[in-house]
Amino acid sequence: WYTLSLHDALPISYVKDTEVARTATLVVANTSGSATGTGNVYVGNTSASALNSILAGNGILVPGAGNAVYVQNKGALSPGFGPTDAEKIDTLTVDGDVVFQAGSFFDVEHDGTGSDLLAVSGALDISGATLNLTDLGGGETAPLYILATYGSLTGTFAAINGTIPPGMELVYDGGSIRLMAPIPEPATLALLGLGLAGLRPCRRPRA
């Protein structure tokens, strides 16, 4: 298992395409000055025999204009995940586009107060991704969990591993993918209003 961590003290940029393959993990832990490049980033492999590869961290990845992060077969994108950062809620930012291809994974941990977040400034395609939800405990006290933000969205998750918190559902709109309680349809609200109106007390006529 190989791990490369990019952080502010190690200002590494890359030229041309970069691949995170086999059992490698690339941890982006910078806030500026690193993980910027001029090529696509590929996580995983199109081969059916590919081993798990992970793009992780809590920093900022900049693929460069016209490029994207491609999470391929057996590849996983895991905000906040790393050899010393397991079971910690965090945000991974991609200043560009992210495409989850068939056989890829999006790993999200959540606890009583929040969840991991993938912040994508450009287009996000999740049509090939399996969402892996991990509950770290603490109960579900937050009113909602934002899993991803985006400039534009294509598709919904191909599958979900793990349990959606009770009383919540996945919502894909308004610039984010989130877990939240269902919002009643307008017709349901109207019927509820009529029902409440029928409960108004009646004034008795004076004798």
Side-chain angles (χ1 to χ4, degrees):
W1 188 279
Y2 300 93
T3 299
L4 173 64
S5 179
L6 303 180
H7 49 82
D8 291 332
L10 188 68
I12 295 178
S13 60
Y14 61 91
V15 179
K16 297 184 178 180
D17 293 348
T18 298
E19 184 176 8
V20 185
R22 297 184 66 82
T23 57
T25 297
L26 176 61
V27 179
V28 181
N30 65 314
T31 56
S32 64
S34 185
T36 60
T38 56
N40 297 306
V41 176
Y42 297 96
V43 185
N45 197 293
T46 55
S47 170
S49 60
L51 300 174
N52 294 338
S53 308
I54 300 173
L55 173 62
N58 58 355
I60 305 169
L61 180 62
V62 185
N67 303 306
V69 174
Y70 292 92
V71 189
Q72 303 179 116
N73 179 54
K74 298 293 183 68
L77 194 154
S78 303
F81 174 84
T84 61
D85 199 27
E87 297 190 353
K88 180 180 178 182
I89 302 301
D90 234 322
T91 298
L92 177 63
T93 301
V94 177
D95 188 2
D97 300 338
V98 175
V99 179
F100 285 90
Q101 297 180 339
S104 63
F105 300 92
F106 179 35
D107 299 338
V108 174
E109 297 174 328
H110 65 89
D111 60 17
T113 60
S115 68
D116 289 331
L117 169 64
L118 171 64
V120 180
S121 66
L124 173 61
D125 185 344
I126 60 170
S127 54
T130 292
L131 172 63
N132 289 331
L133 277 174
T134 300
D135 186 353
L136 300 181
E140 282 74 37
T141 60
L144 61 92
Y145 298 95
I146 300 178
L147 312 185
T149 58
Y150 52 81
S152 63
L153 179 66
T154 299
T156 58
F157 292 116
I160 299 175
N161 290 331
T163 303
I164 293 178
M168 290 188 170
E169 65 180 8
L170 266 175
V171 178
Y172 309 82
D173 64 23
S176 70
I177 302 172
R178 56 199 183 277
L179 289 167
M180 60 181 294
I183 298 176
E185 296 292 334
T188 302
L189 290 174
L191 289 173
L192 179 60
L194 289 174
L196 292 175
L199 295 176
R200 292 177 182 173
C202 296
R203 180 178 297 177
R204 291 184 178 180
R206 293 184 178 179

